[in-house]
Amino acid sequence: MRDLSFLLDVKILFLTIKKVLVSDGISAEGQATMEYFKGK
């Protein structure tokens, strides 16, 4: 089981790096993902 956990950790690490490099799932430039905070 320990090997399986290590392989899963490596897989998650590579998928995270891929997301960062490809910028997948990030809003387009100039597009707000939520309303600006107006207080209260």
Side-chain angles (χ1 to χ4, degrees):
M1 268 322 242
R2 188 173 186 145
D3 292 333
L4 182 61
S5 178
F6 176 73
L7 290 176
L8 181 60
D9 289 345
V10 170
K11 179 180 177 182
I12 291 170
L13 178 66
F14 280 113
L15 289 175
T16 302
I17 292 171
K18 179 183 171 193
K19 280 279 189 187
V20 170
L21 293 177
V22 176
S23 301
D24 186 29
I26 297 176
S27 298
E29 184 72 30
Q31 300 294 318
T33 56
M34 61 186 279
E35 250 181 77
Y36 286 107
F37 180 70
K38 298 174 187 165
K40 292 189 182 183

